Amino acid sequence: MLTALDGTYGDRADAIGVAGRTASYEELLGAAGAVAADIAGAPAVAVTATASLETVAAVVGALLAGVPCVPLPPDAGPAERDHILRDSGAVAIEADFARRAAPPTAAPGASPQDPALILYTSGTTGPPKGVVLAADALAADLDALAEAWQWSAEDTLVHGLPLFHVHGLVLGVLGALRTGSRLVHTGRPTPQAYAAAGGSLYFGVPTVWSRVAADPASAAALSGARLLVSGSAPLPAPVFRDLERLTGHRPVERYGMTETLITVSGRAGGEVRPGTVGTPLPGIRTRIAAEPGAEIGELQLTGPTLFSGYLGRPEATAAAYTEDGWFRTGDIAAVDESDGVHRIVGRASIDMIKSGGYRIGAGEIENALLDHPKVSEAAVVGVPDADLGQRIVAFVVAEGVTGAELTDFVAAHLSVHKRPREVRFVASVPRNAMGKPQKKLLLDGHFGGEAR
């Protein structure tokens, strides 16, 4: 699957760069080979996915060994980390980039349909679920994106995205190793780092692009690029317009989920309109499940990039599909009848928050807050934010504790990016007759609460 490592595209000393360190394909292959030799036959391995050459070597080593790899968020709290390790059965490993070994031959009986990655994604309730992705799904998606974005070995890909999600790891690392493009991972995705990288292809989430647009000098430095790609959350139209004005590029947006990989995208050289995510990639079919007479409805899809299932959760896997086998995205969308361009309207549920490019389940944060001994009720929502897309706001019933203390409490138990940006204290959480929180009332401001 990792075509660049078999010599197809030659080699160079700086083929892979992460946070200021560089390596050739040969060096990466040797370090990954050492990892593969160590883990041969393991049921699954977990890698703390820091922005480092060690993370790249560990993930590649697992793929070479045919061992499912579980990337762990480096900022995960002990409860989240323990859940992922326990649920996946993975053994945590570390790579030593100084070690070298010959890559292994293919394991007997290995199949492209075998699990390659297990990525944990937040649901609207309960702990994260493991999304099983096979090697053939990864390859199908990367090949489709290479065609859509005219992505080739002539490119230099630049991004600074986390290496435990589809965007940063699958597209941003494995994509470079499949297409042969040079990779520059900037570490932190600052505007200045993007400007200094000299890339032809840039990946970013809306938070990154809003910060680039707020730094005109850095934005202007991207004018020599070939393509800017935005994803993981809708790109605000003002940011789109600012980037176009400052860089001369109209950013391409794409749409996907952990369970489906990237399925819909704008095209390099094609018409790009703000607020749209393009058309289905080759092999992907979409449909809108709308009420009679409605123009919008749930986006459903099918194709070769879909996940193999939720790890150990056959009921949840079955519930994710319609009776005739189409995946339910839970996103509300509209399709332009004239050209098939898709527009994502929003979530079917308000319990999924997209903040800073992360998909965050409100239920997981609520559970963490309720673990605090002074919190009796909690409801978490996402509210519009010019920088983050949405910011996490927690409405809590509690006494004798401050908002800052609760924020720190959540950050210590879950990933830091899941902490509330704002805590509001209320006398009660509005509920319906079934006892379910009525978050629409919170979002509408009827229960404003007090910040303290």
Side-chain angles (χ1 to χ4, degrees), residues 158 160 184-199 202 215 218 222:
V158 178
V184 177
H185 189 291
T186 60
R188 294 184 62 243
T190 65
Q192 297 78 18
Y194 271 39
Y202 284 82
D215 184 340
S218 294
L222 305 188

Side-chain angles (χ1 to χ4, degrees), residues 172-434:
V173 173
L174 302 186
L177 294 176
R178 187 162 179 85
T179 62
S181 65
R182 179 171 169 256
L183 170 63
V184 177
H185 189 291
T186 60
R188 294 184 62 243
T190 65
Q192 297 78 18
Y194 271 39
S200 60
L201 175 61
Y202 284 82
F203 291 168
V205 298
T207 300
V208 171
W209 291 125
S210 69
R211 293 172 183 173
V212 169
D215 184 340
S218 294
L222 305 188
S223 61
R226 184 178 63 78
L227 188 66
L228 310 182
V229 178
S230 183
S232 298
L235 184 67
V239 177
F240 181 101
R241 292 191 293 267
D242 287 344
L243 286 173
E244 182 180 17
R245 175 174 55 84
L246 294 166
T247 70
H249 296 291
R250 296 170 68 83
V252 163
E253 291 194 70
R254 87 297 182 284
Y255 168 81
M257 302 174 63
T258 306
E259 292 91 336
T260 67
L261 302 175
I262 308 306
T263 51
V264 182
S265 179
R267 303 303 200 264
E271 181 185 359
V272 177
R273 302 196 298 270
T276 65
V277 294
T279 55
L281 294 175
I284 301 294
R285 290 187 295 151
T286 65
R287 70 185 186 188
I288 303 297
E291 297 293 331
E295 295 182 354
I296 64 173
E298 184 188 41
L299 177 64
Q300 300 176 355
L301 51 85
T302 185
T305 69
L306 268 64
F307 72 143
S308 303
Y310 293 113
L311 183 66
R313 290 171 170 80
E315 296 85 1
T317 301
Y321 287 87
T322 64
E323 291 184 359
D324 57 348
W326 290 66
F327 180 79
R328 306 175 188 270
T329 68
D331 282 314
I332 303 302
V335 178
D336 190 315
E337 293 184 358
S338 64
D339 56 12
V341 169
H342 288 48
R343 177 170 56 89
I344 306 300
V345 177
R347 285 295 295 174
S349 167
I350 64 172
D351 288 326
M352 183 66 75
I353 301 169
K354 293 185 177 181
S355 181
Y358 295 102
R359 294 168 57 88
I360 301 165
E364 187 181 8
I365 304 171
E366 289 162 356
N367 289 340
L369 286 166
L370 291 169
D371 280 339
H372 194 285
K374 295 184 178 180
V375 174
S376 57
E377 291 186 81
V380 171
V381 298
V383 301
D385 186 276
D387 184 37
L388 298 170
Q390 287 181 302
R391 70 179 184 277
I392 301 169
V393 177
F395 290 80
V396 300
V397 179
E399 292 292 337
V401 66
T402 66
E405 289 171 334
L406 292 178
T407 293
D408 291 344
F409 182 82
V410 173
H413 284 72
L414 305 176
S415 299
V416 173
H417 66 261
K418 297 176 182 177
R419 70 195 186 282
R421 300 291 178 137
E422 182 181 345
V423 176
R424 303 197 67 83
F425 293 84
V426 294
S428 64
V429 172
R431 299 178 183 275
N432 62 19
M434 299 298 293

Side-chain angles (χ1 to χ4, degrees), residues 107-123:
S111 165
Q113 289 80 42
D114 291 340
L117 295 176
I118 303 173
L119 303 183
Y120 275 76
T121 184
S122 296

